[in-house]
Amino acid sequence: MDGTAKRARSVDQKAERQKAILSAARGLISDLGFDGVTMSALAKRAQVAKGTLYLYVRSKEELFLLLFVEAMEDVVTRFEAEACADQLPEQLTRLVSDTPLFLPLYARLAAVIEANVADEPLFAAKRRILATSNRFSNKLATLLEVPPARAEALSLVLFQALLGAAQLDLPSGRDPATLPADLRDSFAVHQFDRAFPPSVRHILGVD
């Protein structure tokens, strides 16, 4: 395609175009990593003119923010459908680990992504994140049989622990073969699947 496709005009067309752009972005990140993503490369991968792309996302950081919001919504949708009270630490860890891009995007969310996004798209994303957080709290209240206010407080601490574990997990992803032998255990202890479940157990007061 030469990048001169007609501009999407209906609501459905615009939704499909944005879906295609985000799908192209996931493929680009998979192939090149976060640092390899450029707006020019994304326009080419999504088969849209660069000017059209800027109607949907105005920067790389705004793109990453949209990808994070969708990943978070996926996590919570699965949490609502699959979680049970007696396996929360393991299930929450698995759901987060299995959702593509969630952890690396969450680790970058505040300092790198949100700090470089304009107010309008940031506020729109924050509203979606808040609504998704409320869904998580409501499900947690049902699972633990606790009042909504208690579930909301627990959810806040869980997501703070999740953020810390996601940030610590970034360097732990190095190939162990490239690390000095005396530092391998230090890196391994911060791997998300190893570090996060004990935090969940402590927060929820379960063994």
Side-chain angles (χ1 to χ4, degrees), residues 39 59-66 112-117:
M39 298 299 278
S59 68
K60 183 167 69 171
E61 290 78 17
E62 186 176 329
L63 171 71
F64 292 161
L65 182 57
L66 288 173
V112 178
I113 299 174
E114 292 183 345
N116 293 288
V117 174

Side-chain angles (χ1 to χ4, degrees), residues 1-204:
M1 185 174 293
D2 63 5
T4 59
K6 291 182 179 179
R7 182 178 300 176
R9 297 190 181 278
S10 73
V11 172
D12 287 344
Q13 287 175 327
K14 289 178 179 178
E16 285 300 314
R17 177 66 57 80
Q18 184 175 69
K19 182 178 178 181
I21 289 170
L22 295 182
S23 178
R26 294 185 188 96
L28 204 57
I29 293 168
S30 178
D31 291 345
L32 303 177
F34 289 98
D35 292 338
V37 176
T38 65
M39 298 299 278
S40 295
L42 179 57
K44 183 176 180 180
R45 177 71 68 100
Q47 297 185 318
V48 298
K50 195 171 180 181
T52 300
L53 177 62
Y54 279 104
L55 297 175
Y56 292 86
V57 285
R58 286 170 280 187
S59 68
K60 183 167 69 171
E61 290 78 17
E62 186 176 329
L63 171 71
F64 292 161
L65 182 57
L66 288 173
L67 289 171
F68 171 76
V69 171
E70 289 207 344
M72 182 177 179
E73 290 172 345
D74 287 345
V75 168
V76 173
T77 295
R78 293 182 60 198
F79 181 76
E80 291 171 323
E82 302 173 21
C84 55
D86 59 347
Q87 297 180 26
L88 276 177
E90 294 75 20
Q91 287 184 323
L92 188 54
T93 301
R94 175 179 54 80
L95 289 175
V96 168
S97 297
D98 290 351
T99 301
L101 297 182
F102 179 86
L103 282 174
L105 286 170
Y106 198 25
R108 295 167 169 83
L109 185 63
V112 178
I113 299 174
E114 292 183 345
N116 293 288
V117 174
D119 286 351
E120 182 181 350
L122 176 62
F123 296 160
K126 283 288 192 181
R127 291 185 179 99
R128 288 177 64 183
I129 291 171
L130 179 59
T132 306
S133 299
N134 288 339
R135 287 169 49 200
F136 181 87
S137 295
N138 291 338
K139 179 64 176 181
L140 194 64
T142 299
L143 289 171
L144 301 180
E145 299 180 343
V146 297
R150 174 61 176 164
E152 185 176 349
L154 288 171
S155 297
L156 178 61
V157 179
L158 282 171
F159 273 96
Q160 288 173 340
L162 176 56
L163 175 59
Q167 291 172 335
L168 289 172
D169 187 64
L170 286 177
S172 76
R174 289 177 178 269
D175 181 352
T178 67
L179 298 171
D182 61 322
L183 293 179
R184 289 174 188 169
D185 287 343
S186 177
F187 276 82
V189 76
H190 294 307
Q191 291 175 347
F192 182 79
D193 290 351
R194 182 172 171 179
F196 186 56
S199 298
V200 180
R201 295 188 189 98
H202 178 72
I203 292 166
L204 298 181

